[in-house]
C-alpha cells in the first residue's frame, strides 16, 4: 500500500473516530457519497465558512451576501444550459458492472505518466546532487520529452472529442490506450453515453398539477436571477459582488473519494459583476486574491497550483482551477471562471425581463460581465483535514496523532484541564472556562491522566490546553500548552486573554491576503 492511500484511509477513519464526518444513514448501511458532519466536524465546517464569508463580505465594501432557495423555477436550468449540457460521459465495464467517467479514466491514465515524469526527476536529482538543473533536465531528457508528448497528444485528443461530442472517439481512445477496469482488470467496455447530473423532483400536491423541478447543481444561478433585486435594493454600482454559501446537488457518476466528490455538498460562490472589457483584469485579481486566501491558512505554497483550462465551458472566456495536493494527488479545490455576460443574457432571453445595469457615468444600459470564484466547502474541509493529520515521533518509540488545523479554524480553541479532580482545581478550571466561553469554543476535560487528555486534544486539533494545578491556587498562574510544539509556558490568569487574542484574532490571519 502506498503512503498516499494509507494516509487517506487514516484521514477517513480519524474523521469518524473523532466525531468529524460520518456516513449518512449509517445504521441503514449508509447512502453512497452522502455524509453527515459530527459534533466536531460541524464546528470545523462552520469556521471554514465563516473564514470565507468574512474575507468576502465583511472585508469588501462592494460584496454583499445572499441566501437564495434551493428550489428554483425549472426554466432557469434551461436558460443556464444545465438541462442540455450539464452531463458527464459515462462508461460501464461489462465484467465488473462498475461505472466510470470516461474522461476521468483517460485523465487517470495521464496522471500515471505524470507520476513517471516526477520519478525520473527525483531519480536524476539524487544522482546529480547539487549540480542538478531541473529545468534543463526536463527540456532535454529524451524519456521525459517522450512522456510529455504522449500526455499532450492524449489530452488534446480527449478535449477535441469531448468538445465535438464525439463519444465514440472517447471510447476508441480508451481502447487504444488499453485502459483496463481497475476493479476487474478487463477491457470489456460499453459505449460512452452522456449522463445528466441534475436530480429531479416534483413540486405540488396532486400529480396533475405538480411541476418538475431540479435540485440546484450550483448556487450561482440563484445569484444571477437575483442580480437586479440586489443591485437595485442595495444601490450597488459596478464593480460589485454577490456571495452565497449553500447546498448543491449532483448525481455524480463516480463518487468514491469520501467528501471529495459528494452527491449533496456545499458551495461557497461569489459572482463579481464588472463592466464589459474589464473581465480579464478582475479575473487575474481574483485568481491572486483567492490563492492568497488559501495561503493565509499556512498550509504551504507547494501544496497549491493553478491549472488553467484549455477546454472552456460554454459560458467562459477564461477559467482556472486552484488545485490542492490531496492524499490522492493534485486535484481541483476551487474554480475561478470568467463567465462573460452569458448567464445574465440567457436569463434575460428566457424570462423576458431586462437584467441590465444602468451606468450613470456612461449614461447607458448594458449587461455586466461576471467573474466567479467557486469553492466546495466539503472539499476545503478535506484539504485542511487531510493536510493537518500527522503522525509524529515524539520520544523513543512513542508517536502521537495530532491534527494541526490552522488555529483559527479549530473546533475548540482551548481545552481547560484541572490537573486533578480534587482540591478545588475543577472549580478554578471552570471559573476560567466561564470567563473564556463568551469569546471562544472551550472544551473542559477532567477524565484520565493529563498526558492522555493532551493526546485527546491533539487528535481533535485543539491548539491550546490550559492546565490548572496546585500552583494556580497559590499564585494565580496556569500552564498553557501549544499543540504543535508541545511547549508549555506559565502565565498569569490576567495574561490568558491577551495570549489567545494574539493567536486567534482573525485580523492577524486575514490581513495577510
Ligand atoms: P469536478 O471537475 O471535480 O467535477 P467541477 O469543475 O464540476 O468539479 P465546479 O462546477 O466548478 O466543479 O464547482 C465548483 C467547486 O465545487 C469545485 O471546485 C469543488 O470544490 C466543488 N464541487 C463540485 N462538485 C463537487 C462534488 N460532487 N462534491 C464536493 N464538492 C464539489
Amino acid at each position: 500500500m502506498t503512503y498516499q492511500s494509507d494516509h487517506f484511509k487514516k484521514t477517513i477513519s480519524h474523521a469518524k473516530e473523532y466525531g468529524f464526518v460520518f456516513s449518512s444513514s449509517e445504521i441503514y448501511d449508509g447512502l453512497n457519497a452522502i455524509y453527515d458532519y459530527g459534533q466536531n466536524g460541524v464546528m470545523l465546517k462552520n469556521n471554514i465558512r465563516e473564514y470565507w464569508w468574512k474575507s468576502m463580505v465583511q472585508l469588501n465594501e462592494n460584496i454583499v451576501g445572499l441566501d437564495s432557495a434551493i428550489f428554483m423555477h425549472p426554466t432557469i436550468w434551461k436558460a443556464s444550459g444545465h438541462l442540455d449540457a450539464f452531463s458527464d460521459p459515462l462508461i460501464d465495464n461489462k465484467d465488473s458492472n462498475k461505472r466510470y467517467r470516461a474522461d476521468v479514466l483517460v485523465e487517470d491514465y495521464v496522471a500515471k505518466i505524470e507520476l513517471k515524469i516526477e520519478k525520473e526527476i527525483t531519480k536524476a536529482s539524487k544522482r546529480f546532487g547539487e549540480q542538478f538543473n531541473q529545468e534543463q533536465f526536463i527540456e532535454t531528457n529524451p524519456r521525459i520529452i517522450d512522456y510529455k508528448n504522449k500526455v499532450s497528444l492524449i489530452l488534446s485528443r480527449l478535449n477535441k472529442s469531448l468538445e465535438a461530442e464525439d463519444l465514440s472517439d472517447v471510447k476508441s481512445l480508451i481502447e487504444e490506450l488499453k485502459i483496463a477496469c481497475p476493479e476487474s482488470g478487463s477491457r470489456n467496455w460499453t459505449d460512452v453515453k452522456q449522463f445528466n447530473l441534475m436530480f429531479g423532483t416534483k413540486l405540488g400536491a396532486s400529480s396533475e398539477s405538480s411541476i418538475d423541478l431540479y435540485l440546484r447543481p450550483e448556487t450561482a444561478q440563484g445569484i444571477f436571477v437575483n442580480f437586479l433585486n440586489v443591485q437595485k435594493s442595495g444601490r450597488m454600482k459596478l464593480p460589485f459582488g454577490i456571495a452565497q454559501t449553500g447546498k448543491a446537488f449532483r448525481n455524480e457518476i463516480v463518487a468514491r473519494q469520501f467528501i471529495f466528490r459528494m452527491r449533496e455538498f456545499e458551495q461557497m460562490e461569489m459572482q463579481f459583476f464588472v463592466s464589459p472589457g474589464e473581465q480579464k483584469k478582475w479575473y487575474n485579481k481574483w485568481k491572486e486574491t483567492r490563492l492568497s486566501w488559501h495561503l493565509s491558512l499556512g498550509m504551504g505554497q507547494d501544496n497549491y497550483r493553478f491549472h488553467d483550462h484549455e477546454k472552456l465551458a460554454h459560458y467562459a472566456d477564461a477559467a482556472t482551477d486552484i488545485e490542492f495536493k490531496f492524499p490522492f494527488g493534485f486535484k481541483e479545490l476551487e474554480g475561478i471562471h470568467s463567465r462573460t455576460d452569458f448567464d445574465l443574457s440567457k436569463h434575460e432571453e428566457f424570462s423576458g425581463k431586462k437584467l441590465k445595469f444602468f451606468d450613470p457615468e456612461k449614461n447607458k444600459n448594458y449587461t455586466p460581465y461576471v467573474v466567479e470564484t467557486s469553492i466546495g466547502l466539503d472539499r476545503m474541509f478535506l484539504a485542511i483535514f487531510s493536510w493537518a493529520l500527522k503522525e509524529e515521533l515524539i520520544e523513543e518509540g512513542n508517536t502521537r496523532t495530532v491534527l494541526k488545523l490552522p488555529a483559527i479554524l479549530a473546533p475548540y480553541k482551548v481545552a481547560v484541564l484541572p490537573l486533578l479532580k480534587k482540591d478545588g482545581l475543577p472549580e478554578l478550571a471552570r471559573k476560567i472556562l466561564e470567563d473564556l466561553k463568551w469569546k471562544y469554543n472551550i472544551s473542559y476535560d477532567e477524565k484520565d491522566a493529563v498526558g492522555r487528555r493532551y493526546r485527546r486534544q491533539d487528535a481533535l486539533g485543539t491548539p491550546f490546553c490550559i492546565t490548572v494545578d496546585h500552583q494556580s491556587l497559590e499564585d494565580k498562574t496556569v500552564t498553557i500548552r501549544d499543540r504543535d510544539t508541545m511547549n508549555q509556558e506559565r502565565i498569569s490568569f490576567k495574561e490568558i486573554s491577551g495570549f489567545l487574542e494574539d493567536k486567534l484574532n482573525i485580523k492577524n490571519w486575514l490581513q495577510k491576503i
Side-chain angles (χ1 to χ4, degrees):
M1 185 183 297
T2 64
Y3 164 76
Q4 295 291 21
S5 65
D6 191 27
H7 183 66
F8 191 38
K9 281 189 179 158
K10 280 191 185 136
T11 302
I12 299 169
S13 65
H14 193 88
K16 179 172 181 198
E17 190 181 343
Y18 287 91
F20 284 88
V21 184
F22 306 128
S23 290
S24 164
S25 323
E26 198 184 87
I27 59 168
Y28 290 95
D29 297 332
L31 263 182
N32 204 355
I34 317 273
Y35 291 90
D36 297 339
Y37 287 85
Q39 67 279 19
N40 295 310
V42 65
M43 290 198 280
L44 174 55
K45 197 175 168 200
N46 285 346
N47 293 343
I48 299 171
R49 193 191 294 106
E50 187 179 318
Y51 194 71
W52 181 88
W53 186 267
K54 287 200 165 161
S55 77
M56 284 292 180
V57 180
Q58 189 169 323
L59 298 181
N60 290 295
E61 258 172 62
N62 62 349
I63 300 182
V64 292
L66 179 77
D67 182 12
S68 70
I70 288 172
F71 290 141
M72 294 198 277
H73 195 284
T75 310
I76 287 174
W77 306 113
K78 183 78 192 146
S80 67
H82 283 81
L83 216 45
D84 297 324
F86 193 59
S87 44
D88 281 334
L90 75 80
I91 189 165
D92 291 307
N93 183 269
K94 290 186 200 158
D95 296 318
S96 66
N97 289 324
K98 284 268 172 205
R99 180 155 281 188
Y100 297 91
R101 259 175 70 173
D103 53 336
V104 172
L105 279 181
V106 176
E107 280 162 12
D108 285 350
Y109 180 89
V110 164
K112 281 189 195 141
I113 304 179
E114 281 170 343
L115 207 67
K116 285 186 188 161
I117 298 178
E118 263 179 48
K119 276 193 183 146
E120 290 287 338
I121 296 171
T122 320
K123 235 173 42 195
S125 89
K126 273 194 195 140
R127 191 155 24 111
F128 294 115
E130 298 226 319
Q131 275 116 50
F132 183 56
N133 180 337
Q134 184 165 323
E135 233 165 77
Q136 194 188 9
F137 181 74
I138 292 173
E139 274 166 24
T140 53
N141 180 280
R143 218 173 290 158
I144 292 192
I145 295 173
D146 227 35
Y147 284 145
K148 284 198 161 246
N149 284 341
K150 205 166 169 199
V151 165
S152 104
L153 274 176
I154 295 172
L155 288 181
S156 76
R157 167 134 170 234
L158 176 68
N159 287 340
K160 223 187 260 159
S161 14
L162 286 175
E163 221 156 294
E165 300 251 342
D166 185 355
L167 298 181
S168 66
D169 191 55
V170 178
K171 183 177 180 188
S172 308
L173 182 60
I174 289 173
E175 284 171 341
E176 283 165 37
L177 295 174
K178 299 194 167 59
I179 296 175
C181 165
E183 200 84 8
S184 65
S186 99
R187 289 189 245 138
N188 194 5
W189 296 109
T190 61
D191 286 341
V192 179
K193 287 187 290 213
Q194 286 292 7
F195 176 78
N196 194 295
L197 302 184
M198 284 200 293
F199 284 104
T201 184
K202 289 197 181 296
L203 180 86
S206 73
S207 53
E208 302 88 65
S209 64
S210 71
I211 56 169
D212 289 324
L213 290 190
Y214 297 95
L215 297 183
R216 65 180 180 198
E218 61 174 30
T219 59
Q221 297 304 322
I223 295 180
F224 292 123
V225 298
N226 277 296
F227 159 73
L228 217 52
N229 282 338
V230 174
Q231 191 268 318
K232 289 232 153 96
S233 60
R235 306 195 318 170
M236 308 299 292
K237 289 204 172 62
L238 294 188
F240 76 92
I242 304 178
Q244 132 153 289
T245 70
K247 289 274 173 131
F249 304 83
R250 294 183 188 177
N251 200 0
E252 298 280 1
I253 298 171
V254 182
R256 298 186 196 121
Q257 281 168 315
F258 191 40
I259 55 172
F260 180 81
R261 192 175 298 287
M262 302 156 90
R263 298 205 163 102
E264 172 181 342
F265 59 101
E266 196 164 335
Q267 288 185 312
M268 306 191 286
E269 298 198 294
M270 194 277 297
Q271 310 294 324
F272 200 71
F273 300 90
V274 305
S275 304
E278 292 202 342
Q279 69 272 24
K280 188 85 198 149
K281 177 180 97 187
W282 285 107
Y283 169 73
N284 288 330
K285 169 88 177 56
W286 280 110
K287 253 178 100 167
E288 194 188 309
T289 308
R290 291 304 303 146
L291 183 63
S292 310
W293 180 85
H294 286 283
L295 296 178
S296 74
L297 290 169
M299 299 200 291
Q301 192 138 20
D302 291 351
N303 286 320
Y304 301 88
R305 68 181 190 198
F306 282 115
H307 168 234
D308 295 333
H309 290 203
E310 276 171 36
K311 177 188 169 236
L312 292 169
H314 57 280
Y315 50 74
D317 70 3
T320 194
D321 297 335
I322 295 180
E323 293 188 335
F324 183 78
K325 200 172 185 182
F326 286 95
F328 36 83
F330 271 103
K331 295 271 178 217
E332 171 177 345
L333 171 59
E334 169 157 9
I336 297 156
H337 311 123
S338 176
R339 288 178 83 127
T340 68
D341 60 354
F342 176 85
D343 302 85
L344 289 179
S345 303
K346 282 285 172 190
H347 288 307
E348 197 170 84
E349 181 188 329
F350 279 77
S351 68
K353 308 276 172 7
K354 284 232 163 340
L355 293 177
K356 297 216 177 346
F357 172 73
F358 176 71
D359 189 330
E361 274 157 37
K362 295 183 186 146
N363 196 24
K364 64 174 193 187
N365 281 303
Y366 53 80
T367 309
Y369 270 48
V370 173
V371 175
E372 158 186 87
T373 73
S374 174
I375 175 168
L377 175 49
D378 314 84
R379 226 176 250 194
M380 186 64 195
F381 185 113
L382 180 61
I384 294 166
F385 198 86
S386 59
W387 173 84
L389 184 65
K390 322 262 183 212
E391 290 279 328
E392 278 184 359
L393 196 62
I394 41 173
E395 59 220 25
E396 283 141 49
N398 266 339
T399 57
R400 68 163 181 160
T401 301
V402 53
L403 201 55
K404 292 191 166 174
L405 298 172
I408 194 74
L409 302 180
Y412 290 103
K413 303 295 187 242
V414 180
V416 181
L417 318 170
L419 187 64
L420 298 175
K421 226 163 42 174
K422 57 181 187 184
D423 303 337
L425 300 184
E427 289 75 10
L428 184 54
R430 285 210 175 272
K431 248 191 184 160
I432 295 173
L433 180 149
E434 284 301 318
D435 193 36
L436 294 176
K437 79 175 186 191
W438 301 96
K439 188 140 192 206
Y440 306 110
N441 234 329
I442 312 286
S443 154
Y444 177 83
D445 191 2
E446 56 179 26
K447 273 186 243 115
D448 303 322
V450 76
R452 289 190 58 184
R453 282 182 269 165
Y454 285 153
R455 292 289 164 276
R456 254 196 314 264
Q457 295 301 331
D458 285 347
L460 288 173
T462 310
F464 304 106
C465 287
I466 291 177
T467 307
V468 175
D469 55 16
H470 290 95
Q471 194 180 328
S472 312
L473 295 169
E474 285 162 24
D475 64 3
K476 297 199 163 78
T477 62
V478 291
T479 62
I480 190 154
R481 172 186 179 271
D482 182 291
R483 175 197 67 199
D484 299 343
T485 60
M486 293 192 289
N487 286 340
Q488 300 189 24
E489 56 180 295
R490 206 152 190 113
I491 61 173
S492 70
F493 290 1
K494 279 199 201 122
E495 288 167 317
I496 296 176
S497 80
F499 178 96
L500 295 176
E501 173 70 12
D502 183 46
K503 308 278 198 305
L504 299 170
N505 186 338
I506 197 163
K507 184 174 172 192
N508 295 340
W509 293 77
L510 279 180
Q511 72 187 356
K512 293 177 211 155
I513 70 172

